[in-house]
Amino acid sequence: MFRRPSGSPADRIAALRKELQRHVHRYYVLDEPSIPDSEYDKLFRELQALEAAHPDLVTPDSPTQRVGGKPLDQFASVRHKVPMLSIRTETDTEATGTKNFDARVRKELGLSESGPPVEYVAELKFDGLAVNLRYEDRVLVQAATRGDGEVGEDVTQNIRTIRQIPLQLPKEAPAVMEVRGEVYMRRPDFEALNERQREKMAQGAKGEKTFVNPRNAAAGSIRQLDPAIAAQRHLSFFAYGVGEITPQAEGGPVFETHFELLQTLKSWGFPVAAQTRTAKGAAELMAFYQAIGRKRDSLPYDIDGVVYKVNSLALQKKLGFVTREPRWAVAHKFPAQEQLTTVLGIDVQVGRTGKLTPVARLAPVFVGGVTVTNATLHNEDEARRKDVRVGDTVIVRRAGDVIPEVVSVLPEKRLPDALQFTMPRQCPVCGAAAVREEGEADYRCTGGLFCAAQRKEAILHYAHRRAVEIEGLGDKLVEQLVDASVVRTLPDLYKLDLSTLASLDRMAEKSANNLLEALEKSKQTTLPRFVFGLGIRHVGEATAKALASHFGKLDAIMDATEEQLLEVSDVGPIVAKSIRTFFEQAHNREVVEQLRACGVTWEEGEPAKRVPKPLTGKTFVITGTLPSLSRDEAKDRIEAAGGKVAGSVSRKTDYVVAGTEAGSKLAKAQELDVKVIDEAVLLAFLASPND
């Protein structure tokens, strides 16, 4: 965080300009922002206030007098025919900020408070990279970034890879036209990109990195010298305005409103955000701000606010500009989703399913509309990758109801004796071993039914209607029983009596009797239900049934080796290891024996006959439309033949079954050299007595 130096206003102004220019360079040129947008805005507003108080100190090179950034040396420079100026930011992040803008517009237009409302266009404020698309004779001839507002970078070849952008306009378009908008990356595409980057890094590729957010990923993609790389990044585009226009001599479009302009661009093939609409007066702008704020986190792309523009182009011309900003438009931001704070400590929390999660304890900071004191570090790999240490200054992000997370560290502010984080190898709650299964990112407590952190979830899972089923044993009752230390483990359920239950809050004698009857009824169950009810990680209903059928008896399941477990049709290496780990814990075996002693019983039988299946041990991925089988039918037949069907292609995939219109999964298979087959080959596999 920037520290205020002592001295005269001139000294402070000079220091602010230097600091802002450094951040502008990192944000626009290097695509490596070192502080959140909200922190930059604070510094910028302070400089604006100082220059307003001391106009004699204003200079043409001040960040307040021009748009930040300059083109990279690797790209040709493009001077914009019409400058790409930024718009003013409304600092009031409450919905009432709309009134401030409307009041300024009405004042500039000389309208009284009782006069008719001004009509505006309300749009989304995208978090991407602004570009200018120039069409001559209705053909795309050049694309340029905003740059410093006057001069940008020629990124034409990369922009051509974005399929949403038309390469040619219809004949009714002007002979020369510049369309302006935002290049951005959808969240699913961003997550897929980072996953690919992590795979490359894991394989030892040099120079690769993951991206902090979709905005950085989009900007970095547009600035790739190789258009093929930009094409692989799956960028998107929204149009929101125009630059230079040279109309046709006759019959060319004459726009009277901004909304009419946007609708025309849409009819010519440019994407325009569906949420864009007209709004009359501050009240309708406020309603738009609130509605978009509620939908913000469900959108498939990032926005950091909304934009209001006077709809009438004649009124826009009348209102004009002040310094670097139009009077007829404003960006109304939502509460900041990123802020700077300090890591006070790193704790490890144990989830209800045993997952160990490192959590940074933070100096309280207001972000995303709430005060945040904790932020997840996800797992040991993420904590190491971000290299978060106690005492670090970090950027914290909170979006909607998403758990706050540490985005990145400011290493230049690190204490010299800060130690790297290491995940404990024992559960901090029960002391049981913490293990990390092969292919997993998370460590998990092996305490299972014994661990207090997992106790409530274990009881609810055991009582589930598809497990042992104890009718009437719900969340609130389990919470009371565990918090009061009445039930510490599953067998304690069968030791409950009428007086104990009747003494609980909102538990009448009749309800208590009903629960006791349900507990008694639950003692008669089946082996698959009981195995499923134990809550063994990775063991769902289907696996529990397969185990019961294969072994016939619980003791045989409990004593089975990993090799023996792997003989079960629905069990792979990860599941086998999880089952073996569970039953190797003495306390888990003790719980099973106590449940038996309480009278929980089930029928047992002989192991099922071993019937070889043609696809045992093989993993398939299905993509595209098959000639005769639906995806579900193909999946069912593969699984019935002992195979497994995965949702994504990896190096562990044996076959990709490709139909017509196969997409990215087919490309991934070809990239990884995974064998691709069609439906006919699959049917031949299914008919074969052996794989």
Side-chain angles (χ1 to χ4, degrees):
M1 206 171 293
F2 188 83
R3 294 181 179 176
R4 181 186 299 269
S6 58
S8 66
D11 291 336
R12 177 59 179 161
I13 286 174
L16 279 168
R17 286 174 182 166
K18 184 176 180 180
E19 180 75 357
L20 286 167
Q21 286 165 355
R22 183 172 73 86
H23 291 309
V24 164
H25 178 75
R26 291 183 66 88
Y27 188 93
Y28 287 97
V29 179
L30 302 180
D31 298 322
E32 296 176 354
S34 55
I35 60 173
D37 289 353
S38 58
E39 196 69 22
Y40 178 91
D41 291 342
K42 290 177 187 176
L43 298 175
F44 191 90
R45 289 196 296 269
E46 183 183 351
L47 179 58
Q48 280 183 314
L50 282 169
E51 289 183 346
H54 304 279
D56 56 310
L57 297 178
V58 176
T59 60
D61 62 346
S62 172
T64 63
Q65 304 303 301
R66 60 190 300 172
V67 180
K70 77 172 192 177
L72 295 174
D73 294 335
Q74 294 97 322
F75 293 94
S77 296
V78 175
R79 180 165 293 279
H80 298 301
K81 300 288 186 180
V82 177
M84 292 185 71
L85 301 178
S86 61
I87 58 178
R88 183 182 187 277
T89 297
E90 174 53 57
T91 58
D92 181 356
T93 57
E94 298 296 322
T96 51
T98 57
K99 295 180 180 179
N100 301 334
F101 173 60
D102 183 58
R104 287 194 301 272
V105 169
R106 298 184 70 83
K107 181 180 179 181
E108 292 290 341
L109 293 175
L111 301 176
S112 66
E113 291 185 8
S114 59
V118 176
E119 184 173 73
Y120 301 100
V121 175
E123 308 173 16
L124 305 185
K125 185 178 183 301
F126 307 105
D127 200 7
L129 185 72
V131 296
N132 183 77
L133 310 176
R134 184 173 178 84
Y135 293 82
E136 295 179 0
D137 293 327
R138 300 165 193 85
V139 175
L140 178 65
V141 296
Q142 188 182 74
T145 62
R146 182 200 300 272
D148 65 0
E150 298 286 343
V151 178
E153 305 153 338
D154 189 331
V155 291
T156 309
Q157 295 305 310
N158 289 343
I159 289 298
R160 283 178 177 274
T161 68
I162 303 175
R163 295 188 178 185
Q164 291 174 308
I165 294 176
L167 298 180
Q168 189 170 17
L169 300 184
K171 62 181 180 180
E172 61 266 25
V176 175
M177 184 172 191
E178 293 181 342
V179 177
R180 291 175 174 177
E182 200 89 355
V183 172
Y184 67 97
M185 187 172 285
R186 290 167 53 88
R187 289 173 186 158
D189 294 329
F190 170 71
E191 291 163 4
L193 170 61
N194 265 353
E195 182 60 33
R196 293 196 298 272
Q197 295 298 102
R198 280 190 283 269
E199 287 181 6
K200 292 178 182 178
M201 292 162 64
Q203 294 166 10
K206 294 183 178 180
E208 300 293 347
K209 66 174 185 177
T210 55
F211 293 90
V212 173
N213 53 48
R215 189 267 166 200
N216 281 31
S221 301
I222 285 299
R223 289 187 170 101
Q224 287 290 330
L225 293 176
D226 182 359
I229 296 177
Q232 294 169 4
R233 300 282 177 86
H234 301 291
L235 299 171
S236 299
F237 177 79
F238 274 128
Y240 55 62
V242 295
E244 183 184 26
I245 299 180
T246 302
Q248 294 171 315
E250 298 292 337
V254 178
F255 304 113
E256 295 185 358
T257 67
H258 180 65
F259 190 75
E260 178 189 357
L261 166 64
L262 293 179
Q263 296 309 301
T264 301
L265 291 179
K266 185 176 180 180
S267 71
W268 290 347
F270 291 97
V272 174
Q275 296 83 359
T276 303
R277 64 196 58 203
T278 58
K280 292 186 177 180
E284 291 190 9
L285 290 180
M286 186 184 299
F288 180 81
Y289 179 85
Q290 292 171 328
I292 297 300
R294 290 190 294 269
K295 297 177 182 176
R296 177 186 187 185
D297 297 315
S298 63
L299 294 173
Y301 43 79
D302 282 357
I303 62 171
D304 56 5
V306 295
V307 175
Y308 312 134
K309 299 174 183 175
V310 172
N311 193 21
S312 167
L313 298 183
L315 290 182
Q316 285 188 12
K317 186 175 181 180
K318 182 177 180 180
L319 287 162
F321 294 78
V322 54
T323 314
R324 62 198 281 274
E325 301 162 345
R327 289 190 177 94
W328 43 265
V330 73
H332 192 184
K333 286 194 173 184
F334 294 123
Q337 291 185 304
E338 292 184 355
Q339 289 286 10
L340 287 178
T341 189
T342 305
V343 178
L344 302 179
I346 298 178
D347 300 329
V348 175
Q349 294 181 352
V350 184
R352 295 186 300 174
T353 59
K355 176 184 173 183
L356 271 59
T357 303
V359 176
R361 282 190 291 108
L362 308 170
V365 60
F366 192 76
V367 55
V370 300
T371 298
V372 171
T373 57
N374 294 298
T376 181
L377 298 176
H378 297 292
N379 52 56
E380 184 179 50
D381 288 349
E382 280 294 287
R384 288 282 184 89
R385 184 180 67 80
K386 294 175 181 176
D387 195 17
V388 181
R389 306 184 186 187
V390 176
D392 279 351
T393 299
V394 296
I395 297 176
V396 177
R397 177 177 176 83
R398 180 186 181 274
D401 295 328
V402 177
I403 298 171
E405 67 172 333
V406 172
V407 175
S408 60
V409 172
L410 274 60
E412 65 269 20
K413 297 182 179 293
R414 170 166 291 158
L415 301 174
D417 58 348
L419 299 176
Q420 191 176 54
F421 169 77
T422 301
M423 180 70 77
R425 299 303 187 259
Q426 285 187 312
C427 173
V429 175
C430 71
V435 299
R436 181 177 181 176
E437 297 172 1
E438 184 179 353
E440 290 280 324
D442 302 312
Y443 278 85
R444 292 183 182 272
C445 166
T446 58
L449 307 178
F450 174 76
C451 181
Q454 303 175 65
R455 192 172 298 154
K456 292 177 185 177
E457 180 65 19
I459 294 169
L460 286 168
H461 180 80
Y462 179 82
H464 193 274
R465 64 183 181 83
R466 303 186 73 87
V468 173
E469 188 175 15
I470 305 173
E471 190 175 349
L473 190 62
D475 297 49
K476 292 183 179 179
L477 181 53
V478 168
E479 190 170 337
Q480 281 193 74
L481 291 169
V482 173
D483 290 347
S485 296
V486 174
V487 173
R488 292 182 175 84
T489 187
L490 293 179
D492 290 340
L493 290 170
Y494 296 102
K495 300 172 186 177
L496 292 170
D497 54 38
L498 184 61
S499 61
T500 301
L501 288 172
S503 66
L504 298 173
D505 291 343
R506 290 172 292 186
M507 177 63 78
E509 185 173 326
K510 182 178 179 181
S511 299
N513 273 316
N514 289 341
L515 180 59
L516 290 173
E517 290 177 7
L519 283 163
E520 190 63 29
K521 181 180 178 182
S522 73
K523 291 180 180 179
Q524 302 298 317
T525 185
T526 66
L527 181 55
R529 281 176 171 266
F530 183 79
V531 172
F532 176 54
L534 291 177
I536 306 168
R537 181 161 161 73
H538 299 306
V539 176
E541 288 182 78
T543 303
K545 289 177 181 177
L547 288 167
S549 174
H550 185 93
F551 290 102
K553 299 179 181 180
L554 179 62
D555 288 341
I557 299 173
M558 293 171 64
D559 296 335
T561 64
E562 286 188 41
E563 290 73 19
Q564 291 171 325
L565 289 165
L566 286 171
E567 294 176 5
V568 181
S569 61
D570 200 44
V571 174
I574 292 175
V575 179
K577 185 175 180 60
S578 179
I579 297 168
R580 188 69 252 134
T581 299
F582 182 88
F583 287 118
E584 281 176 349
Q585 305 299 313
H587 46 260
N588 288 338
R589 284 179 169 266
E590 178 64 22
V591 166
V592 171
E593 294 311 314
Q594 288 185 22
L595 287 170
R596 279 172 160 164
C598 290
V600 180
T601 61
W602 53 85
E603 288 187 6
E604 294 189 335
E606 294 303 314
K609 291 183 179 180
R610 308 293 190 261
V611 179
K613 295 185 177 181
L615 302 185
T616 298
K618 301 298 182 183
T619 299
F620 293 75
V621 171
I622 305 168
T623 181
T625 303
L626 302 182
S628 64
L629 296 176
S630 69
R631 286 200 185 190
D632 286 342
E633 289 171 336
K635 180 176 184 291
D636 289 344
R637 293 189 64 174
I638 289 170
E639 290 177 344
K644 294 184 179 180
V645 178
S648 59
V649 181
S650 72
R651 296 188 185 279
K652 296 180 179 179
T653 306
D654 293 292
Y655 299 101
V656 169
V657 185
T660 57
E661 299 182 6
S664 59
K665 292 177 183 177
L666 177 58
K668 184 70 172 178
Q670 293 166 340
E671 178 187 334
L672 296 178
D673 201 25
V674 173
K675 189 168 184 179
V676 179
I677 63 175
D678 58 16
E679 184 189 275
V681 176
L682 173 63
L683 292 173
F685 282 171
L686 293 169
S688 174
N690 295 299
D691 179 31

